[in-house]
Amino acid sequence: MKSPAFDYIRADSPQHAFELLAKHGDDARVIAGGQTLLATLNMRLSQPALLVDIAGFDAWRGIAVQGGMLRVGALTRHSEVESSPLVARHAPLLAQAAPHIAHRAIRNLGTFGGALAYADPAAEWPACVLALDATLVIASAKGERRVAAADFFQGLYTTAMHPGDLLMACEVPLIGEGERQAFSELSRRQGDYAVAGLAARAKVSGSTLRDVRLAFLSLGDRPIRARSAEAALQGGAIDDARLAQVDAALRAELDPFDDLTHSAAAKKQLAATLMRRAVAQLIKEKS
Amino acid sequence: MNTPTDSPKRRVRVEVNGTPIVREVECRKHLIDFLREDCGMKGSHLGCEHGVCGACTVRLDGQIVRGCLVLAAQADGHRVDTVETSTPSKRLKALQDAFVEHNALQCGYCTPGMLMAALELVEQKPDADRTQVREWMSGNYCRCTGYHAIVDAVCAVLEQQRAGRFADEPVASADEVRA
C-alpha cells in the first residue's frame, strides 16, 4: 500500500526540530531511521501531516566511553552497535542482541534511539538497557534530563518522554569485574519479532550468581524484570533443585497474554527455557 | 488526523548507479517507486511494501536497505546502487552467474533483492558458513521456495572468494562508505 500524503522537513539542528514539533504538535512525527515508521505509514496505520527528519544530527550519533559509561548516541544504527569493538568489550549484551534485530538491511538504517523511544515490548534494546541499568538522555527545548531505564518504559509504546522531547543518547554502565551477560530469544524465523526473549546479566564466581538481572521481552506491555526469579538465583551453587525453584518463581510472576500464535502458558514455558539457557551461558562462559 | 488535498513535494538529488539524478518528488514517495517511476530503473522490485519480503533491497551509501522503508526525500544527497548498476563488480557478476548455474531463480521476482543482500554478505562476511548464509538471507522471501539453491549459489561465490578470485577487487569499509 502507499502512504498517505505528508510533508517532510530535514531539521538542521535540535533547536529547529523542537520548534517544528512545538508548532505542529500531534500532526508531526519524528523520523530518524524510519524502519518502523515507514512501515506504519505504508500500511496507513499512521497519518501524520509532517515528518521531522533528525537523522542529520551527527553529534547524536556514535559510540564512546565517556565518564565511566558507554555512551551510545540515539542516532547510532543497529548495525553500528552490532560491529562496534567498544560495545563488544564494555556491553557484550548489546553485541549479542543486535543480530536478532530484524535483518541486516533494516539494521543498516534503524537507530538505537528510535527503537528505545518507540518502546515496542517485543524489541530487543529496551530489555537490554533495562537489564544493564542504563540511563536515557532526553533533550527538549528546556534542556537535557536523564531517566533510568527502569522508569523510562511505562507501558505499551509508552515512555517517560513528553511531547516535544527527543531521545539523544543512552548511557550504559561498563561491564564490571566478574560480570557476564547473555542474550537469547525465540522467534519463528531469524529476524522476526521474538515470541519471547531474555537479556540477562550477573556477577559470576564459579557457579554462583550475584546481582542477577533478568529482563524479558515480548512477555508483557513493556520489558519486564523477573525479580522473584532473580532473587531465587542469588548466591549458592546452581543445581537442578535450585533451577526448579527459579522456574516456579518465574512462572508465578510472569503474566503474559495470549496472542494469535502462542498461548500465555506456551510463553511461560519459553521464558523458563530461556532462563535456563541464560543461566547455563552465564556460568559456562569464560570471563 | 491529516487529510491533505495536495501532496507536498521536495526536490531530490540522488546519485543512482553513478549517475546524478534530480527530480521533484512527492514527500511520501519511497525509494523504490522513485527508482522505478521517476528514474526508469525497473530492476528493483516491490513486494510487500512494509519491510518484510526484501524484494526491494538496494544499497544506500554502500549498505543494503529496504527500498520501501526509505523515502526518496531521505535519500536526497546520497548514493543509491541497484542491481542494474552500470559497472557491476566482479562479486555481483559472480553471484549472477552462480544463481543461474545453481538454478537459484525461478520466477526471478525476488532475485534483485537476493543479489543485493548476498553481495553485502560476500563483502562483509567472507568467512560465513552455510548457517550464517541462511540467517543473513532470511531477510528475503522467495515465493518459489528456491532457498536451498540460493544458499548453494551464495556459498559457491564465498568459496570462489576464499580461493582468491576477487583478490584484486577491494571491499569498501563501512566507514568509507558512510563518509
Side-chain angles (χ1 to χ4, degrees):
Chain A
M1 208 171 1
K2 307 295 176 194
S3 164
F6 51 76
D7 202 355
Y8 166 93
I9 299 178
R10 264 187 201 180
D12 46 31
S13 67
Q15 193 55 42
H16 185 201
F18 297 139
E19 284 164 17
L20 288 168
L21 294 175
K23 184 176 166 197
H24 295 276
D26 276 353
D27 288 336
R29 292 277 185 292
V30 174
I31 183 168
Q35 295 304 282
T36 300
L37 180 58
L38 262 292
T40 63
L41 289 171
N42 288 348
M43 302 275 276
R44 301 212 169 199
L45 296 169
S46 176
Q47 299 203 352
L50 171 67
L51 298 190
V52 178
D53 190 341
I54 64 167
F57 302 172
D58 288 340
W60 289 15
R61 184 165 172 187
I63 299 165
V65 175
Q66 218 174 291
M69 307 281 254
L70 184 75
R71 187 180 166 102
V72 183
L75 295 172
T76 307
R77 313 288 189 189
H78 303 311
S79 57
E80 293 173 293
V81 177
E82 185 178 6
S83 60
S84 162
L86 284 177
V87 169
R89 189 185 324 152
H90 297 297
L93 182 69
L94 300 180
Q96 290 178 56
H100 294 278
I101 299 173
H103 308 285
R104 180 70 176 198
I106 288 165
R107 296 200 293 276
N108 279 339
L109 266 194
T111 64
F112 189 73
L116 292 171
Y118 188 59
D120 188 325
E124 289 79 5
W125 293 143
C128 288
V129 302
L130 182 63
L132 295 173
D133 203 14
T135 301
L136 289 306
V137 186
I138 299 167
S140 76
K142 292 180 215 155
E144 279 180 34
R145 67 182 201 280
R146 283 171 162 70
V147 178
D151 301 320
F152 184 78
F153 302 104
Q154 300 187 341
L156 192 65
Y157 306 116
T158 307
T159 70
M161 289 171 67
H162 307 308
D165 280 350
L166 296 174
L167 186 62
M168 67 184 292
C170 180
E171 295 172 341
V172 180
L174 306 185
I175 190 167
E177 188 72 28
E179 180 183 338
R180 293 179 194 167
Q181 302 176 353
F183 184 91
S184 59
E185 71 173 44
L186 296 161
S187 58
R188 285 155 64 89
R189 171 183 65 147
Q190 165 75 28
D192 281 355
Y193 284 110
V195 181
L198 172 58
R201 48 138 291 183
K203 295 225 164 152
V204 185
S205 70
S207 66
T208 302
L209 304 181
R210 286 179 296 113
D211 299 338
V212 184
R213 290 172 84 98
L214 304 176
F216 285 92
L217 53 119
S218 281
L219 286 168
D221 68 351
R222 70 195 83 177
I224 292 172
R225 289 267 308 273
R227 291 173 187 274
S228 302
E230 289 173 1
L233 279 167
Q234 305 273 8
I238 305 286
D239 55 22
D240 287 348
R242 277 285 294 289
L243 281 174
Q245 285 171 17
V246 178
D247 191 307
L250 184 64
R251 288 171 197 260
E253 71 182 321
L254 290 177
D255 187 20
F257 28 77
D258 299 334
D259 63 28
L260 284 175
T261 46
H262 294 84
S263 66
K267 289 184 186 179
K268 285 190 182 191
Q269 173 67 29
L270 297 180
T273 299
L274 288 170
M275 180 276 292
R276 285 170 183 268
R277 286 185 187 174
V279 169
Q281 190 187 335
L282 290 170
I283 290 172
K284 188 182 77 181
E285 200 178 292
K286 285 183 191 160
S287 51
Chain B
M1 192 66 78
N2 163 43
T3 53
T5 51
D6 58 341
S7 187
K9 294 184 176 177
R10 282 285 173 282
R11 195 172 185 76
V12 169
R13 186 187 184 284
V14 186
E15 188 185 306
V16 182
N17 295 329
T19 305
I21 291 179
V22 184
R23 296 281 187 279
E24 192 85 7
V25 295
E26 284 182 283
C27 295
R28 68 174 185 150
K29 184 172 268 196
H30 58 60
L31 188 56
I32 295 303
D33 278 350
F34 171 74
L35 290 169
R36 292 177 59 87
E37 296 171 2
D38 299 66
C39 305
M41 297 193 182
K42 312 268 179 161
S44 305
H45 292 167
L46 192 57
C48 71
E49 221 163 10
H50 58 278
V52 174
C53 78
C56 64
T57 304
V58 296
R59 299 186 117 179
L60 182 64
D61 292 341
Q63 294 192 300
I64 53 168
V65 299
R66 295 284 205 242
C68 73
L69 297 185
V70 190
L71 297 170
Q74 283 177 286
D76 179 33
H78 295 272
R79 199 182 88 222
V80 176
D81 291 292
T82 72
V83 73
E84 63 242 284
T85 173
S86 54
T87 53
S89 69
K90 286 184 184 172
R91 289 182 181 85
L92 180 56
K93 181 69 170 60
L95 282 164
Q96 290 169 329
D97 291 345
F99 269 55
V100 172
E101 194 176 321
H102 291 269
N103 201 21
L105 69 171
Q106 204 171 117
C107 83
Y109 197 84
C110 71
T111 309
M114 289 284 182
L115 287 169
M116 298 311 276
L119 181 59
E120 183 160 314
L121 169 70
V122 171
E123 289 183 356
Q124 310 242 330
K125 304 238 173 224
D127 299 323
D129 61 21
R130 194 174 174 88
T131 304
Q132 290 168 312
V133 171
R134 291 182 68 93
E135 279 185 12
W136 183 283
M137 299 305 295
S138 70
N140 293 60
Y141 277 148
C142 166
R143 298 207 320 187
C144 312
T145 68
Y147 297 108
H148 287 290
I150 291 166
V151 173
D152 288 346
V154 176
C155 287
V157 173
L158 281 167
E159 275 168 34
Q160 292 169 19
Q161 180 167 255
R162 288 193 279 261
R165 177 167 170 198
F166 316 118
D168 57 333
E169 196 174 73
V171 172
S173 76
D175 288 343
E176 284 173 81
V177 157
R178 284 189 167 111

